[in-house]
Amino acid sequence: DNQQILRDDKKRKLKSAIDEGTSIPTEIVSEARTLMHELETDVVPITADKSADVQAIDDEYANIGIREPKVCITTSRDPSNRLKQFAKEIKLCIPNSQAINRGTYRTDELVDACRKADFTDMVFLNETRGMPDAMMVSHLPYGPTAYFTLSSCVLRHDIPECTPASQAYPHLIIDGLNSKVGKRIGRILQALYPIPRPESRRVLTFANRNDFISFRHHMYTLDKGQVGLSEAGPRFEMQPYEIRLGTIDQDDAEKEWVLRPYMNTARKKQTLQ
């Protein structure tokens, strides 16, 4: 939208003038008050440096915290009992989510149906020989889609002294995702969850160590200043390997980022941290 681009350029000039303490360019003086108000209310701030800017109009996650997410969870075709159970447990971990049987539906049919039903995200779970080993998170209506390999999956009934899971909206701990790619993945995961109440005693952790994101689900209690922590499960490790700008059914969508583990510098470089 050309008008929006021109508007953002004007806001950028105004912000640059304010930051540097110089006079406002004459061509935007008449609109300065209105532009200043828009700068203050933008969901994603306009920066003076155009290359570092993420425009609100281009931000797929501009509605985080404004609109409650609605998530569809599904599996590959003909899932094993273990994958079905894993999908149920992921549904427990994501509030406002619905688990849907895949049946014989094609991916593009599922995406189209979820768009029409006003879902905000889709989570696809895959397996190899009965072990969950892949997860795709696709944001609707237009993307992006993040691809993860899963490992070390432990379901709730395999965790000793597993605590019953609350249905309260959970607090999120997103740790170690500090790079540009890491922040992008953190935002993709954050978009699955609504804002919790302060009194919620439920915590979900996505902690990155050496480009593997550990997922943990805990309940905590406060008793006379002492914090008690108990695991509610499931637990697993996630390794992101690709981000595409489109939805999961768009095979020709542009690749925003791809993990390249076999490059000479890969051993030394931490992608997410």
Side-chain angles (χ1 to χ4, degrees), residues 9 19 24 42 65-66 78 101 108 127 168 173 183 189 217 219 228 231 238 243 273:
D9 279 339
D19 290 346
I24 296 170
D42 274 344
I66 300 171
D78 194 22
N101 290 330
D108 58 328
E127 65 182 338
I173 297 174
K183 288 176 181 175
L189 296 171
H217 177 195
M219 301 296 298
E231 189 170 1
M238 310 161 61
I243 302 174
Q273 207 152 0

Side-chain angles (χ1 to χ4, degrees), residues 116-141:
K116 289 176 181 174
D118 207 27
F119 281 92
T120 60
D121 295 270
M122 298 183 72
V123 176
F124 287 79
L125 302 170
N126 287 351
E127 65 182 338
T128 300
R129 292 188 292 277
M131 287 298 295
D133 66 351
M135 179 168 73
M136 288 74 77
V137 180
S138 188
H139 187 61
L140 299 178

Side-chain angles (χ1 to χ4, degrees), residues 32-85:
R33 189 179 294 275
T34 308
L35 291 170
M36 192 65 206
H37 177 69
E38 289 180 18
L39 274 171
E40 290 170 353
T41 55
D42 274 344
V43 175
V44 178
I46 296 292
T47 61
D49 178 10
K50 188 172 181 178
S51 63
D53 184 29
V54 180
Q55 297 180 32
I57 195 167
D58 292 331
D59 183 21
E60 309 97 335
Y61 296 104
N63 286 331
I64 285 183
I66 300 171
R67 177 188 174 194
E68 285 216 342
K70 181 182 175 186
V71 183
C72 170
I73 298 169
T74 191
T75 64
S76 51
R77 287 198 181 113
D78 194 22
S80 67
N81 289 333
R82 187 174 177 82
L83 187 62
K84 287 178 186 174
Q85 182 61 34

Side-chain angles (χ1 to χ4, degrees), residues 29-251:
V29 165
S30 59
E31 300 176 88
R33 189 179 294 275
T34 308
L35 291 170
M36 192 65 206
H37 177 69
E38 289 180 18
L39 274 171
E40 290 170 353
T41 55
D42 274 344
V43 175
V44 178
I46 296 292
T47 61
D49 178 10
K50 188 172 181 178
S51 63
D53 184 29
V54 180
Q55 297 180 32
I57 195 167
D58 292 331
D59 183 21
E60 309 97 335
Y61 296 104
N63 286 331
I64 285 183
I66 300 171
R67 177 188 174 194
E68 285 216 342
K70 181 182 175 186
V71 183
C72 170
I73 298 169
T74 191
T75 64
S76 51
R77 287 198 181 113
D78 194 22
S80 67
N81 289 333
R82 187 174 177 82
L83 187 62
K84 287 178 186 174
Q85 182 61 34
F86 184 61
K88 287 179 184 176
E89 296 187 10
I90 293 295
K91 178 183 178 297
L92 282 176
C93 293
I94 303 177
N96 301 334
S97 62
Q98 297 177 27
I100 295 176
N101 290 330
R102 175 69 179 269
T104 57
Y105 290 108
R106 299 195 314 268
T107 304
D108 58 328
E109 291 174 334
L110 275 174
V111 171
D112 191 45
C114 286
R115 275 201 196 101
K116 289 176 181 174
D118 207 27
F119 281 92
T120 60
D121 295 270
M122 298 183 72
V123 176
F124 287 79
L125 302 170
N126 287 351
E127 65 182 338
T128 300
R129 292 188 292 277
M131 287 298 295
D133 66 351
M135 179 168 73
M136 288 74 77
V137 180
S138 188
H139 187 61
L140 299 178
Y142 305 119
T145 301
Y147 296 78
F148 302 87
T149 55
L150 302 183
S151 57
S152 306
C153 290
V154 181
L155 303 189
R156 282 170 48 81
H157 65 262
D158 295 326
I159 295 174
E161 299 178 10
C162 183
T163 303
S166 163
Q167 293 299 301
Y169 290 177
H171 297 286
L172 292 185
I173 297 174
I174 297 177
D175 180 54
L177 297 173
N178 302 319
S179 69
K180 186 176 179 182
V181 174
K183 288 176 181 175
R184 177 69 156 161
I185 287 169
R187 201 157 169 79
I188 289 169
L189 296 171
Q190 180 191 356
L192 300 174
Y193 295 91
I195 295 174
R197 293 179 177 275
E199 62 269 18
S200 174
R201 292 286 183 261
R202 189 180 182 200
V203 181
L204 298 181
T205 305
F206 295 92
N208 170 49
R209 298 293 180 271
N210 300 319
D211 286 352
F212 282 86
I213 301 170
S214 298
F215 173 83
R216 298 293 185 270
H217 177 195
H218 291 93
M219 301 296 298
Y220 75 90
T221 56
L222 287 173
D223 183 25
K224 298 177 183 177
Q226 298 294 314
V227 178
L229 200 64
S230 52
E231 189 170 1
R235 74 167 85 125
F236 50 87
E237 312 297 317
M238 310 161 61
Q239 185 179 34
Y241 65 89
E242 188 172 287
I243 302 174
R244 293 194 185 193
L245 289 178
T247 51
I248 194 168
D249 58 321
Q250 296 172 333
D251 294 332

